[in-house]
Amino acid sequence: MVQNGYQLLLYTIALITLAFAGSIGMTFVILACALPSYGLWWPFFVVLFYILAPIPTLLAKRYTEHSNTSNACLETAIFITMGIVVSSFALPIVLARSPDPEPTIKWGACYLTLAGNVVVYLTLYGFFISFDHEDDYNMW
């Protein structure tokens, strides 16, 4: 009973920490869009990547057998997830570099978006590490 209470406390602390970190990452992205010197909402499109990134991995973990061997479905899902993550880092850089005389977004907005990307993806990684446990009571 004491161990279950301690484990519940650890999960609660992990969840609160991950929620706080995710809100900091989103704050960086919103600042990249809303500050008066930047004033464009193009960097906010990375939020679409935040939503899409965990979906392939979650689906693959749901429909694969849990074994220590290599699994083609899970490997493909990780590949697709990494493509989405790389795209979310590439989008602000491409927007800051093109067109050449007057870029779509300023470099400051690009840096804030990249900082938000790092924080949000570390939060997603922390979620998968913290809550990826196998037990009989797991609904997923």
Side-chain angles (χ1 to χ4, degrees):
M1 182 72 170
V2 173
Q3 186 177 6
N4 288 338
Y6 181 70
Q7 189 175 16
L8 180 65
L9 179 66
L10 285 178
Y11 284 142
T12 304
I13 290 172
L15 186 63
I16 291 170
T17 304
L18 290 170
F20 184 69
S23 65
I24 289 174
M26 285 303 299
T27 300
F28 280 138
V29 173
I30 291 172
L31 283 176
C33 301
L35 285 177
S37 60
Y38 306 136
L40 294 172
W41 287 86
W42 288 109
F44 201 70
F45 278 107
V46 297
V47 174
L48 181 65
F49 294 121
Y50 298 161
I51 294 168
L52 293 177
I55 291 175
T57 307
L58 288 173
L59 289 176
K61 285 187 176 184
R62 173 74 170 106
Y63 291 110
T64 59
E65 296 177 9
H66 300 289
S67 62
N68 293 334
T69 61
S70 179
N71 188 345
C73 180
L74 187 60
E75 297 292 328
T76 305
I78 290 172
F79 179 77
I80 293 170
T81 300
M82 289 300 111
I84 293 170
V85 170
V86 168
S87 297
S88 72
F89 279 95
L91 178 67
I93 295 171
V94 169
L95 289 175
R97 290 185 55 92
S98 64
D100 195 22
E102 185 64 34
T104 305
I105 65 172
K106 296 182 181 176
W107 279 103
C110 176
Y111 295 142
L112 281 170
T113 305
L114 292 176
N117 283 347
V118 169
V119 173
V120 167
Y121 286 122
L122 285 176
T123 303
L124 285 173
Y125 180 70
F127 174 78
F128 278 113
I129 295 298
S130 298
F131 297 105
D132 187 29
H133 60 293
E134 299 296 325
D135 59 359
D136 294 333
Y137 304 108
N138 194 358
M139 197 166 86
W140 290 93

